[in-house]
Amino acid sequence: MRALLAPWLPSPSTASRREQLRAAGGALFGLLLTALIGLYLFPGGSIFLVAPIGASSVLLFALPASPLAQPWSAIGGNVVSGLMGVICMRCFGEVLPVPLLCALAASTAIAAMFALRCLHPPGGAVALTAVIGGPAIHAAGFAFPLVTVLADTTLLAVMAILYNNLTGRRYPHAQQGAHPNPHATRDAVPTVRLGFKPEDLDAVLQQYNQVLDISRDDLESLFMQTEQRAYQRRFGIIACADIMSRDIVNAEFGTPLEEAWQLMRLHRVAALPVLNRARRVIGIVTQTDFLEHGGLDDYRGIRQQLQRFLRKTGVTHTEKAEVVGQIMTQHPTTARLDTPIVDLVPLMADSGFHHIPIVDEEQRFAGLITQSDLVAALYESRFAEAAA
């Protein structure tokens, strides 16, 4: 019996129990507030909440990354579907049988949603509601989609924006653009020069020719992560703790600029992690920070300009930067000791990071990985595999 039913059963959900509870809590929060505000806006027994909003809540709170769950998809899809249902009812309600009228309303709603790029599955239910919702819906006419449905869906979308972002889910889940080259050149970023490319994914999606319930950038990210896991399985997992430099020269917020610059020159490094007294990373200062804040874009007289920038003013109040904390990059990207080094490849290759501080389980500074460390480690891992 199990083998017989297997093809008809869905695969197990990959969402954790916590994520499932988060989605259910969002629907509770969103629908309750939407209903209460609807009661306030539409008193006296008028329609204040329509059934398809329950279906919309599933998408907005359980699938917030889906293209079908974005605010325009939800609001535009429900409203335009309601309009199609009302139009079909007004034009053909007296000449067509109800089953055909329902089919016509739903099909025209789908066509309209495709045309307006607001495909939202509950919209089909809104179109049917406009046809078979009863005398109250029919009497409301165009006020049903343009007032009730619009208000309900807009309120639910606002609740979804608040709840999803407060619980760690990006919403609206805007489509990310192409991978920008940090050096502002036309070359593709390094991670897409080998393996599959964005245009490969676009060609496959066009050939697939079906609506996917996942955004294109999320799909590409999943492919990239799959490639990383395959690399780890083949060549082994090398963690940041295995290759990082541990004896790292660092600075504090109040380290004078001249002292920090001299440290960088003495140790021939291009960056200094900035730590607080608990040895937690609060920033990172690089040679680029010195150049940008020192107004050294014009290389004529750069020596004199740099000396002027590093020299203390000797006064207690000045607009000129005096210490490292005033020019550092705050809240830098960090990695943990057990982070696989392949996870750092997109950061260093595509995003332009040259130094990534490594922290322990208590978020205290433990070391630093540079691009040179990463390249050497990846080379050694491949060399060892070839030698074996």
Side-chain angles (χ1 to χ4, degrees):
M1 180 62 70
R2 181 178 299 178
L4 199 63
L5 294 176
W8 302 92
L9 296 177
S11 59
S13 173
T14 57
S16 66
R17 184 68 62 186
R18 180 177 180 180
E19 172 60 19
Q20 295 173 24
L21 292 175
R22 188 203 68 82
L28 173 65
F29 164 81
L31 287 173
L32 177 61
L33 290 184
T34 298
L36 291 175
I37 297 174
L39 273 173
Y40 174 78
L41 294 176
F42 308 111
S46 57
I47 303 169
F48 68 93
L49 190 67
V50 293
I53 295 298
S56 293
S57 71
V58 176
L59 287 169
L60 270 62
F61 294 100
L63 303 169
S66 169
L68 308 178
Q70 302 315 298
W72 168 241
S73 298
I75 297 173
N78 281 346
V79 172
V80 74
S81 297
L83 287 172
M84 291 300 102
V86 172
I87 291 173
C88 289
M89 192 65 189
R90 289 288 181 91
C91 295
F92 308 107
E94 296 182 358
V95 297
L96 293 180
V98 173
L100 181 56
L101 197 60
C102 290
L104 182 63
S107 61
T108 54
I110 293 174
M113 287 189 287
F114 266 122
L116 296 176
R117 297 173 61 185
C118 57
L119 193 64
H120 187 63
V126 176
L128 288 183
T129 303
V131 175
I132 60 175
I137 299 292
H138 298 161
F142 286 105
F144 169 66
L146 295 177
V147 179
T148 306
V149 173
L150 176 60
D152 286 348
T153 313
T154 301
L155 287 171
L156 190 69
V158 171
M159 303 305 168
I161 292 172
L162 295 175
Y163 183 83
N164 283 318
N165 284 281
L166 287 174
T167 56
R169 292 291 177 267
R170 176 165 59 97
Y171 185 82
H173 195 86
Q175 177 72 42
Q176 302 298 304
H179 303 281
N181 190 308
H183 305 294
T185 65
R186 289 177 293 181
D187 287 328
V189 291
T191 56
V192 300
R193 295 177 192 173
L194 295 175
F196 82 90
K197 299 182 179 181
E199 50 266 31
D200 297 328
L201 180 58
D202 293 335
V204 171
L205 289 175
Q206 187 173 6
Q207 184 179 5
Y208 184 68
N209 195 31
Q210 294 186 44
V211 177
L212 288 178
D213 196 13
I214 183 174
S215 64
R216 183 201 170 283
D217 57 323
D218 280 349
L219 186 61
E220 182 178 355
S221 176
L222 289 174
F223 283 144
M224 294 290 291
Q225 293 177 47
T226 303
E227 281 190 339
Q228 291 175 6
R229 290 186 65 87
Y231 182 95
Q232 292 174 12
R233 185 178 64 254
R234 182 177 179 184
F235 298 106
I237 298 178
I238 304 175
C240 291
D242 299 326
I243 69 166
M244 70 181 185
S245 301
R246 299 174 183 269
D247 185 18
I248 299 298
V249 183
N250 57 76
E252 297 181 351
F253 186 98
T255 301
L257 295 178
E258 186 174 8
E259 180 181 338
W261 180 260
Q262 290 175 352
L263 281 173
M264 293 170 68
R265 294 194 63 190
L266 176 64
H267 294 276
R268 296 183 179 181
V269 294
L272 295 177
V274 183
L275 313 180
N276 60 17
R277 293 186 178 181
R279 291 192 61 79
R280 290 189 170 88
V281 181
I282 61 172
I284 189 168
V285 62
T286 66
Q287 290 179 345
T288 302
D289 294 322
F290 279 91
L291 295 176
E292 289 182 352
H293 289 272
L296 303 176
D297 297 332
D298 183 0
Y299 290 94
R300 292 172 298 179
I302 187 172
R303 183 181 183 87
Q304 291 77 13
Q305 293 183 60
L306 182 58
Q307 289 177 343
R308 191 180 308 115
F309 175 64
L310 298 177
R311 190 180 303 118
K312 292 184 177 181
T313 60
V315 298
T316 57
H317 296 84
T318 175
E319 294 183 358
K320 174 185 173 296
E322 296 277 320
V323 297
V324 165
Q326 294 175 286
I327 69 170
M328 70 180 183
T329 300
Q330 299 184 30
H331 311 298
T333 297
T334 61
R336 293 173 59 91
L337 288 168
D338 56 354
T339 300
I341 61 171
V342 294
D343 291 353
L344 305 186
V345 172
L347 295 174
M348 289 189 165
D350 298 350
S351 301
F353 291 98
H354 299 280
H355 311 81
I356 296 183
I358 308 302
V359 298
D360 60 18
E361 60 276 4
E362 296 180 351
Q363 298 299 308
R364 288 188 170 87
F365 178 69
L368 189 75
I369 288 182
T370 66
Q371 286 182 328
S372 299
D373 297 327
L374 187 64
V375 170
L378 293 175
Y379 170 78
E380 287 296 334
S381 67
R382 295 296 299 267
F383 183 78
E385 177 71 13

